[in-house]
Amino acid sequence: MCASERFRASGKFRVNANRKLIDVWLLVLCTACGDTAKLTVLERANVRTVRPELLDRLHDNDAGLTAELLQDPVVRRRNRIALDWDNAWRLDTGGSNHLDREVIDVSVRFGARIPVRPVRLIAEGCALSRAEVERLIVEGNLVSSARLSGRLSGDFTFTLKR
């Protein structure tokens, strides 16, 4: 295997049962060379402790389960992985017609729990610089019930006053 540390999910699981114990891995592919690697999902777990519906999803290579497991902090910590969220989000403001309005109310909805910096999201979505967004927050012209500094991964709303 090459020295690349970037992988993408293949969407497939490997399930190995040995008597009463089960091991489960999520297969991932190296983005540089395409080689397969395994992320441990379950290790030497008693088969009876695994919910039957989870086993069905594993055997069906459920894509939704892949997404759930990659966002699970226990799986990420066990495998020492961090997710790369570059270009994984966008703020759809419905075009540029609203940019000349006096007040804009925006609801941000997350399809997945992707951690984003609201300042960056607002800047890119509203065609502003980050410094300008920071200035608008300080002046009270950009308000939200959510904390706009740091990272968010849940739904929030904001109002932008020009």
Side-chain angles (χ1 to χ4, degrees), residues 8-138:
R8 64 179 174 82
S10 71
K12 299 195 182 301
F13 292 94
R14 175 157 183 233
V15 180
N16 185 23
N18 184 359
R19 299 179 197 229
K20 295 179 182 180
L21 301 177
I22 189 170
D23 293 301
V24 177
W25 299 276
L26 171 61
L27 301 180
V28 294
L29 303 171
C30 175
T31 58
C33 67
D35 281 353
T36 302
K38 300 182 293 186
L39 300 180
T40 302
V41 176
L42 294 173
E43 188 171 36
R44 312 303 290 163
N46 189 310
V47 173
R48 292 183 184 198
T49 64
V50 181
R51 297 182 328 272
E53 59 272 6
L54 175 60
L55 281 174
D56 289 342
R57 291 178 77 189
L58 290 166
H59 288 297
D60 292 340
N61 291 314
D62 185 299
L65 180 58
T66 298
E68 290 171 29
L69 291 172
L70 286 174
Q71 294 180 61
D72 183 339
V74 173
V75 172
R76 290 198 325 252
R77 192 170 30 259
R78 176 185 296 140
N79 292 283
R80 295 183 184 100
I81 61 168
L83 300 180
D84 179 1
W85 294 111
D86 287 349
N87 301 315
W89 53 265
R90 69 180 168 83
L91 180 61
D92 182 4
T93 58
S96 59
N97 295 340
H98 69 282
L99 295 177
D100 51 354
R101 282 198 229 146
E102 195 69 29
V103 176
I104 316 168
D105 289 313
V106 179
S107 291
V108 178
R109 302 284 174 248
F110 286 76
R113 298 194 59 77
I114 300 172
V116 298
R117 294 188 183 279
V119 169
R120 181 176 174 200
L121 182 79
I122 294 167
E124 290 181 18
C126 296
L128 302 167
S129 69
R130 285 191 226 168
E132 193 172 0
V133 171
E134 295 283 356
R135 182 183 54 78
L136 290 167
I137 292 171
V138 170

